[in-house]
């Protein structure tokens, strides 16, 4: 399986919904999450709004910061 197959295994809209749910569930700020995941707040906001795609690296960083999966089954 090539690189494109790995990238295509998640849906940005599903990741965004799960990310919003985790932010609410854990009661953390987007700025705090961005800092914990070593992302800029701009990158996080653009991805959540759909103006930028989530990269696999970004999703992995967010999952590590949240301690929750954003790609797998809920």
């Amino acid at each position: 399986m090539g690189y494109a197959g790995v990238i295509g295994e998640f849906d940005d809209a599903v990741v965004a919904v799960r990310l919003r749910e985790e932010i609410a569930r854990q009661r953390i700020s987007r700025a705090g999450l961005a800092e914990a995941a070593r992302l800029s707040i701009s990158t996080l906001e653009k991805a959540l709004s759909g103006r930028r795609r989530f990269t696999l690296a970004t999703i992995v960083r967010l999952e590590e910061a949240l301690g929750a999966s954003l790609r797998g089954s809920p």
Side-chain angles (χ1 to χ4, degrees):
M1 178 185 314
Y3 181 72
V6 172
I7 295 300
E9 289 182 9
F10 59 87
D11 178 9
D12 283 340
V14 172
V15 171
V17 168
R18 289 184 180 161
L19 181 54
R20 284 188 198 95
E21 289 171 351
E22 279 302 316
I23 289 170
R25 185 175 296 119
Q26 295 186 25
R27 295 181 177 164
I28 57 175
S29 69
R30 290 181 180 190
L33 174 59
E35 184 177 330
R38 301 177 324 273
L39 301 171
S40 72
I41 187 68
S42 174
T43 296
L44 180 59
E45 292 292 347
K46 286 176 183 175
L48 282 170
S49 70
R51 294 186 321 231
R52 174 178 284 169
R53 290 190 52 101
F54 285 99
T55 65
L56 183 58
T58 299
I59 293 172
V60 169
R61 284 179 168 188
L62 289 166
E63 288 176 334
E64 289 175 351
L66 291 167
S69 175
L70 301 173
R71 296 170 285 165
S73 301

